[in-house]
Amino acid sequence: YLLALGDLLEHRKGPLAIPVYLADSVLLPELEKEMGTLETSPSFKIRTAVGVFRVPQVVFGEERFGRFCSLLEKALERGLLPEAFPDWVGEKLCLPKGELEIARSQLQGVYRRIHELHCNGLNGLWARLLKNNFAPLTVGKFDYVVGNPPWVNWENLPDGYRDDTKPLWVRYGLFPHGGMDTILGKGKKDIAMLMAYVAMDRFLKNGGKLGFVITQSLFKTSGAGQGFRRFQLGEEGAPLWVMHVDDMVALNPFEGASNRTAVMVIMKGQRIRYPVEYTVWRKKGRGRFTYDSTLEEVKAATHTLDFFAEPVDPSDPTSPWLTATKPALRAVRKVLGKSDYTAHAGVYTGGANAVYWVEIVGKRPDGLVVVRNITEGAKRKVPEVTEAIEPNLLYPLLRGRDVRRWQAEPSAFILMVQDPKTRRGIPEEELQRCYPHTWAYLKRFGSILRERAAFKRYFTRKDKIGKVIETGPFYSMFDVGDYTFAPWKVVWTRIAQIFAAVVNEQDGKPVIPQETITLVSCKSELEAHYIAALVNSAPFQFAASSYSQEGGKSMGSMHVLENIRIPKYNSADPVHRALAEASKEAHEATAHGDEGRLRELEEQIDSLAAQLWGLTDKELKEIKRGLEER
């Protein structure tokens, strides 16, 4: 502004106010009626570091509020007393006598508050502070709104701000989940979505366009972005049309920040029309650019893919977006649908892996085994101990790093003290009686295990006088069911990419996956290999990467089988049997390092998977091409 207006400043007739404001664009000043005074004008309330200011509604007329703030400053300069301020400002603003009288007490009150601050030496720019804070109410609406809102998860917001903004989240329908869904993570909302909705509601004209730098997860997450994808301002507000999205996740444009960057353009007043244009940016080979590069330099170092986006579930417009070329979108629809199988998460220790995860360092003649807990890489500091315990509750542990495509080998052991029937730890009396050494080992970590946030949430409650009551043994675990102990399982990694493999029990004990692994329990070896073949096939991989956060922490989560259709295994179906046999051979080829044979088998599996899902050769080719582009 200063550079543009510099040569004009000498011609100005008075002070020049540049329209740049410091204000909260989400929490706007509240209009309220003071209690017990029917003859008092409604006033706007604004909280500041020095207390609450109440400004009467009558000074918010056409271009009136800016003049009111200037008059506040002039009154202070002149030393005007609070009692004289209402009549003086009423005259300057040409307030009708009736309006002036009902606003008199508020006018006197706001000036008295600022006058006291001034007299006490706190003579900051309080009038301008008011002008800044009330700017969102006075600047009007615009044809274009642009910005890069803060990206802060709901749970990381200050408690007071969460409470103050909650009515807005509800008003705009951004909290579609409640109860257990919210507890389990579907409530991980980002304030960026709230700011986008408030900005469109408050500052954008009907037919105007908003351009925001936004987190790509709003388009891809199954729970957190669901309310955002309603694309309507509340129940009866204006509809919203997402005109274009630029996906820049692969570019990682913000130096020193690991986030999922996208840019969206939304028009207010029109309903969304699918498919939405969705441009994916990729770096060219060794193409490089810096934070200071021009747009032309960035274009020279990148290439773009012209994709389109639509809800993965046609019956649910708020479901995550599927992104691909138009031909690939049509093809992948044949793969989508609800599976006949249910996926589960592996065992969650509640952040105490270093207590439950152990390695066996020796065996004693009395049948006990000597274990040492694995503390390396633990987020929670846990002392390392070596102790003899009963072997009965030790099971082979499959960690995320143990799972690769067509291969999964346990590398440690886990102490399983959870009863899958009760979904609580084995009763303490039973553990003490049957496994006294295991009990003694766990008791050493009692304080650590009781401090787990998940334990406090799920296994404690308060009685009528506020005393904390434990509703399960202190060593209780999470995400454990009958499926956890199935002898045959298909497992795949949940983070970054989906690599599926089949695991079978070892030494008569089922292999237990950790929580970063997704599992499907199976009744037979062939059923497990059939599922593994389909999960590793190109159509499944493409479908998963098309609607999930590719490379994200939840790409391979349990939701994939809610959206990608795997029919129940039928031993009488030749395609099903051929897929199972091909998976068995792929596991053997991987174990022997025979990459040539593995490539042949994977081509065979892709063709069989295409037959199962009814894909033509052309559609399979399009899917494979799309997979290579990702």
Side-chain angles (χ1 to χ4, degrees), residues 142-159:
F142 301 86
D143 298 296
Y144 299 97
V145 174
V146 297
N148 178 9
W151 301 0
V152 183
N153 280 335
W154 162 266
E155 65 264 28
N156 293 330
L157 292 171
D159 292 342

Side-chain angles (χ1 to χ4, degrees), residues 74-96:
K74 286 183 180 179
L76 289 172
E77 292 171 5
R78 296 184 180 187
L80 204 66
L81 294 176
E83 292 76 15
F85 178 75
D87 290 318
W88 182 73
V89 78
E91 179 185 344
K92 296 294 182 182
L93 293 180
C94 300
L95 293 179

